[in-house]
Amino acid sequence: MRIGELGKATGVDIETIRYYEKAGLLPPPARMPNGYRAYRPVHLERLAFIRHCRALDVPLAEVKRLLDFVAHPEADCGDINQLIDEQLGRVRARLKSMRALEKQLAALRAQCQVGNSAANCGILHELVAAANGEACACHGAVAKPGFRKGSLSR
Amino acid sequence: MRIGELGKATGVDIETIRYYEKAGLLPPPARMPNGYRAYRPVHLERLAFIRHCRALDVPLAEVKRLLDFVAHPEADCGDINQLIDEQLGRVRARLKSMRALEKQLAALRAQCQVGNSAANCGILHELVAAANGEACACHGAVAKPGFRKGSLSR
DNA sequence: GAACACCCCGTAGCAACTCCGGGGTCAAGC
DNA sequence: GCTTGACCCCGGAGTTGCTACGGGGTGTTC
């Protein structure tokens, strides 16, 4: 199986496949006499696993860890639980802040009627006012629950 | 106001401030005789505006556009509406996929009891099985959260 | 023998920072 | 006078997860 076929079978871009190989996630396949990569079913399986994890937004570094678990099935799966829990925690935190974000944006959007000039634009006024509120250390006035003010995920 | 003070006042990392200047979002301030950047209140305001937008996940390129609106208040604010709408659309799409993701992860987490070896780990089995289901081009398989192939938004 | 699809490789680019190394500046303390 | 430490300067590289580019080789078909 050449790289293009593997790509088609999994829906993964060729460049991405080579990237995974360079990154150490996909083992380097054998080569055909002409230098082309020769993939076997095991690669397809592994690539599908990687993509499935990525679709779950698991970072590549953790996919690597998961692959290690697959390779060493005698390990304790408590670590896997922890890995998933961490990921779940990240996702939930992000979800929470995104819900707040959606609310803010929707409120912002409601500030403005079409046809105004920017000088009267409620959105712009709101943004500027909110920014001033934050800058003057009136923390909590604008950004309410679960919303990270000033400092972004840092 | 030196860069460190500005950073403290806004909660923004010094490197980030310099980065914004290089990126053209923050106008280059005057310099003191010793070469230090000398910021004025207008910079603080503008930086706060940028950070507020970033907290709303507005990309820097669009923050730039917003700043242009602030600078040219005679422009039509319909464009601002559109900008916010686009952002809102992105956030809602992302929100949707994240909700699905959270469900999947939670289901995955429920597969495993602590104390198993990885060989019996339900999570690992589920991941591998789901990946296989996808790899075999059973695209469009419905997500029956029991066994068999899990379908992901991809 | 030319067109075309496919493959190789290394490098650079994207966002939005973050960190590093090497150096200059300035006030306080001994 | 000299050192310590906090602050500042700059350019460049590193981060994550790809994606694109350029310049070349290979293999099949018309």
Side-chain angles (χ1 to χ4, degrees):
Chain A
M1 199 190 239
R2 284 177 310 174
I3 197 170
E5 300 172 283
L6 179 61
K8 230 164 247 169
T10 52
V12 179
D13 193 293
I14 292 178
E15 310 268 10
T16 304
I17 297 174
R18 283 201 282 253
Y19 171 76
Y20 287 159
E21 182 180 328
K22 226 189 308 187
L25 280 125
L26 211 50
R31 296 297 179 124
M32 301 174 186
N34 58 11
Y36 290 10
R37 286 171 178 80
Y39 289 103
R40 322 175 128 268
V42 64
H43 289 103
L44 191 148
E45 216 172 288
R46 195 159 164 133
L47 179 54
F49 180 87
I50 296 169
R51 289 309 274 190
H52 187 76
C53 292
R54 291 294 301 128
L56 290 173
D57 249 15
V58 178
L60 287 184
E62 306 211 340
V63 175
K64 226 171 188 167
R65 286 176 58 198
L66 280 174
L67 284 168
D68 283 346
F69 281 119
V70 176
H72 303 285
E74 73 282 3
D76 183 15
C77 83
D79 295 344
I80 300 180
N81 285 346
Q82 200 197 327
L83 199 152
I84 298 290
D85 283 343
E86 283 166 17
Q87 174 64 13
L88 202 48
R90 272 196 298 274
V91 167
R92 284 187 172 143
R94 184 86 186 126
L95 211 45
K96 192 173 157 192
S97 89
M98 289 206 70
R99 275 193 265 262
L101 167 54
E102 192 210 350
K103 248 192 185 155
Q104 281 243 337
L105 282 174
L108 208 56
R109 180 62 180 87
Q111 293 293 313
C112 197
Q113 316 306 326
V114 186
N116 277 338
S117 80
N120 307 323
C121 177
I123 291 181
L124 228 40
H125 281 183
E126 184 69 25
L127 279 174
V128 171
N132 285 342
E134 284 190 3
C136 299
C138 314
H139 292 301
V142 179
K144 266 280 204 124
F147 192 78
R148 6 179 252 271
K149 50 208 155 183
S151 73
L152 223 14
S153 63
R154 224 183 348 93
Chain B
M1 198 190 239
R2 284 177 311 173
I3 196 169
E5 301 172 282
L6 179 61
K8 231 164 246 168
T10 52
V12 180
D13 193 291
I14 291 177
E15 309 269 11
T16 304
I17 297 174
R18 282 202 281 253
Y19 170 76
Y20 286 160
E21 182 181 329
K22 226 188 309 186
L25 279 125
L26 211 50
R31 296 297 179 122
M32 300 173 188
N34 59 9
Y36 289 10
R37 287 172 179 80
Y39 291 102
R40 321 171 129 268
V42 64
H43 289 104
L44 191 148
E45 216 173 289
R46 196 161 163 131
L47 179 55
F49 180 87
I50 295 169
R51 289 309 274 188
H52 186 76
C53 292
R54 291 293 302 129
L56 292 172
D57 249 18
V58 178
L60 287 184
E62 305 211 340
V63 176
K64 224 171 190 169
R65 286 176 58 198
L66 281 174
L67 285 168
D68 283 345
F69 281 120
V70 176
H72 303 285
E74 72 284 2
D76 183 15
C77 83
D79 294 345
I80 299 180
N81 285 346
Q82 199 197 326
L83 199 152
I84 299 291
D85 284 344
E86 283 167 15
Q87 176 63 13
L88 202 48
R90 274 196 297 274
V91 167
R92 285 187 171 143
R94 183 89 184 124
L95 209 46
K96 193 175 156 193
S97 87
M98 290 208 70
R99 274 194 266 263
L101 167 55
E102 190 211 352
K103 247 192 187 155
Q104 283 246 334
L105 282 174
L108 206 55
R109 181 62 181 84
Q111 294 293 312
C112 196
Q113 318 304 328
V114 186
N116 277 337
S117 80
N120 307 322
C121 176
I123 291 182
L124 228 40
H125 281 183
E126 183 68 24
L127 279 174
V128 170
N132 285 341
E134 285 190 1
C136 298
C138 312
H139 292 302
V142 187
K144 262 201 173 154
F147 280 148
R148 292 305 130 190
K149 47 212 118 159
S151 86
L152 292 212
S153 53
R154 198 162 44 73

